Amino acid sequence: MEPGPPGSSRPTEPGPCLSAQRGADQAASASLQRAARAQPGRQPLAVAAVLPAGGCGERMGVPTPKQFCPILGRPLISYTLQALERVCWIKDIVVAVTGENMEVMKSIIQKYQHKRVSLVEAGVTRHRSIFSGLKALAEDQLNCKLSKPEIVIIHDAVRPFVEEDILLKVVTAAKEHGAAGAIRPLVSTVISPSTDGCLDHSLERARHRASEMPQAFLFDVIYEAYQQVTYKRDLYAAESIIKERISQEICVVTDTEEDNKHVSHLLEEVLKSELNHVKVTSEALCHASRDLQQIILDQCYNFVCVNVMTSDFQETQKLLSMLEESNLSFLYPVVVISVHFLDFKLVPPSQKMENLMLIREFAKEVKKRNIWLCGLLISYPQDEQKRQESLRQGAIVIASLIKERNSGLIGQLLIA
């Protein structure tokens, strides 16, 4: 059994949460605390999680086991661990993985600095893998960092979209009935069934599954079947959900010069008009910009850097330095679009293109830090109506780059 490294630079709340999801998580935590206070002298429930991750992904039809398939360059199981780590009352997470994939799993834990994660060797069946995880939690070994829980959540490694409020309801039902479960299919365009119905529907099955476990361990809960990634199409659906979640905010960055701020403001207004479902903010770029630093800390993953001088990448370079120092791109790729303006009638694009193509070199360097940089040259004519149309076209390109997150466009210079 191998404990995961503690890590030191990991964000307090790993990964993005939509406001509704964040609110549900906070409400669930408050509910758990109220339940503990309702029983004087009663300590909060000791909860752990076991993730069977020994499958070979036969149904997916790919050589890589599905739990290790990349989504935006990051293994699927890392997203699942991130979701469980966000639940502060889950004290330990035990992953059952095959011996041949043990080193791969260790490297994932180390690279993404997952906390509270330990490894055990998986069995030849899913049931035996779960048994290995339960056994590890039940053992009272000297120097063992795992604590014996009252409730164990069994959660598949390929279900990355678990929410804290669902887990809380399952844990509460398990405490009351001796076992509980939740079943919700992976759906990207259809609203999922109600939580309560899912719990009721799977209660008998969960009781049966719990009865198969050795009674000496006295574990109460089985939670499973929530938005599983089983086939290739599910990988695409999962990637689409993650892209949607990290594309909900755009920060438009410029320097403090009044002319530059004016151009930046025009672009910001057009983005707000065209992308009414996305939060668009703007910040001045300077060394003492606390507001911009706060936006980075709040985990905005999309930046539009306005460079009014077409051949000057100074502002973009400043922003890239800030992002590299912040370690924001640790879990998700950060998209940076370096925007430049030019009146094509006064200055032909070919005269400035050579300097602008330097973006390829910048992009190559920052890609190593999971920052995806590309350039956008926007026509800025004197005619106001034409300028508005050009800005609108630029906004459409920006929206597409952020939403699609196409790695093939890294280092490219686009023209609107």
Side-chain angles (χ1 to χ4, degrees):
M1 180 170 54
E2 296 288 342
S8 57
S9 58
R10 185 172 181 77
T12 303
E13 181 182 273
C17 290
L18 300 180
S19 58
Q21 180 185 343
R22 186 181 290 114
D25 288 349
Q26 291 171 346
S29 291
S31 246
L32 190 67
Q33 292 167 4
R34 285 196 300 270
R37 288 196 297 266
Q39 303 178 20
R42 169 67 171 159
Q43 294 296 319
L45 290 175
V47 181
V50 171
L51 273 66
C56 62
E58 182 179 351
R59 283 180 291 178
M60 186 167 284
V62 294
T64 303
K66 56 189 175 184
Q67 60 270 26
F68 300 123
C69 285
I71 295 179
L72 294 178
R74 184 172 148 213
L76 176 60
I77 193 171
S78 177
Y79 290 95
T80 306
L81 290 174
Q82 176 193 356
L84 292 177
E85 285 173 319
R86 188 180 289 122
V87 183
C88 62
W89 42 267
I90 295 178
K91 300 305 180 185
D92 294 300
I93 303 169
V94 179
V95 180
V97 64
T98 60
E100 62 185 18
N101 289 319
M102 189 68 71
E103 292 303 318
V104 173
M105 193 65 229
K106 287 180 183 178
S107 68
I108 291 171
I109 292 172
Q110 183 175 12
K111 180 176 181 179
Y112 299 103
Q113 298 182 18
H114 289 295
K115 297 179 179 179
R116 295 176 279 157
V117 179
S118 300
L119 302 182
V120 296
E121 188 162 351
V124 293
T125 64
R126 183 178 186 275
H127 177 79
R128 290 183 180 275
S129 294
I130 294 172
F131 176 81
S132 295
L134 294 177
K135 186 177 178 183
L137 287 167
E139 291 175 348
D140 292 320
Q141 296 179 357
L142 189 64
N143 299 324
C144 181
K145 295 183 179 180
L146 296 174
S147 56
K148 195 170 184 178
E150 296 173 78
I151 291 180
V152 176
I153 298 169
I154 309 300
H155 184 72
D156 282 347
V158 291
R159 304 178 195 272
F161 301 116
V162 57
E163 297 166 8
E164 184 172 356
D165 59 336
I166 303 293
L167 287 175
L168 180 61
K169 289 185 178 182
V170 177
V171 167
T172 303
K175 189 61 182 174
E176 181 179 352
H177 300 291
I183 297 177
R184 289 172 82 179
L186 172 61
V187 287
S188 55
T189 57
V190 181
I191 297 176
S192 300
S194 69
T195 300
D196 293 334
C198 295
L199 292 176
D200 294 340
H201 176 73
S202 59
L203 182 56
E204 287 304 320
R205 179 168 180 239
R207 282 175 175 162
H208 172 70
R209 292 289 302 278
S211 68
E212 296 175 353
M213 300 300 170
Q215 294 303 306
F217 296 142
L218 299 177
F219 294 125
D220 298 306
V221 67
I222 290 185
Y223 166 80
E224 59 171 18
Y226 180 74
Q227 294 186 330
Q228 182 174 6
V229 175
T230 303
Y231 303 101
K232 275 187 178 181
R233 63 177 181 271
D234 297 333
L235 276 178
Y236 301 137
E239 182 175 285
S240 177
I241 292 171
I242 292 168
K243 284 180 178 179
E244 183 71 21
R245 288 185 176 180
I246 60 179
S247 300
Q248 296 301 306
E249 182 175 0
I250 300 173
C251 181
V252 180
V253 181
T254 188
D255 64 18
T256 56
E257 295 292 333
E258 287 301 320
D259 290 343
N260 297 353
K261 288 172 66 176
H262 172 70
V263 175
S264 177
H265 177 71
L266 290 176
L267 180 59
E268 179 189 355
E269 290 303 310
V270 174
L271 282 169
K272 287 180 177 178
S273 175
E274 294 294 323
L275 308 174
N276 51 23
H277 62 290
V278 174
K279 179 182 178 182
V280 180
T281 58
S282 63
E283 290 297 336
L285 181 61
C286 59
H287 292 297
S289 178
R290 293 184 179 180
D291 292 337
L292 182 56
Q293 289 284 6
Q294 188 58 49
I295 287 175
I296 293 174
L297 287 174
D298 288 342
Q299 300 180 48
C300 172
Y301 290 90
N302 312 286
F303 294 86
V304 175
C305 190
V306 177
N307 300 263
V308 176
M309 296 295 293
T310 58
S311 60
D312 186 4
F313 283 97
Q314 186 176 359
E315 307 307 317
T316 299
Q317 287 178 286
K318 288 180 183 178
L319 175 60
L320 293 173
S321 296
M322 291 179 66
L323 292 172
E324 287 183 293
E325 291 173 5
S326 72
N327 211 21
L328 174 66
S329 57
F330 176 62
L331 292 175
Y332 297 90
V334 176
V335 171
V336 176
I337 303 169
S338 184
V339 176
H340 305 260
F341 294 92
L342 184 67
D343 187 337
F344 292 165
K345 284 190 175 180
L346 298 178
V347 182
S350 58
Q351 291 185 18
K352 297 294 182 180
M353 197 66 70
E354 184 176 349
N355 287 337
L356 288 174
M357 290 311 293
L358 288 172
I359 198 165
R360 289 185 176 179
E361 299 304 316
F362 296 141
K364 190 183 300 183
E365 284 302 310
V366 296
K367 184 182 178 182
K368 299 173 184 176
R369 297 293 301 273
N370 208 23
I371 298 173
W372 296 7
L373 172 67
C374 57
L376 177 60
L377 182 59
I378 298 179
S379 173
Y380 199 77
Q382 299 299 312
D383 182 80
E384 184 176 350
Q385 184 175 355
K386 292 181 178 179
R387 183 166 62 242
Q388 283 295 320
E389 176 60 24
S390 181
L391 287 170
R392 192 182 74 83
Q393 290 296 328
I396 292 173
V397 174
I398 289 170
S400 178
L401 289 170
I402 288 171
K403 185 176 180 180
E404 296 302 325
R405 276 180 149 71
N406 186 343
S407 61
L409 293 177
I410 295 175
Q412 298 300 308
L413 177 64
L414 308 176
I415 300 178

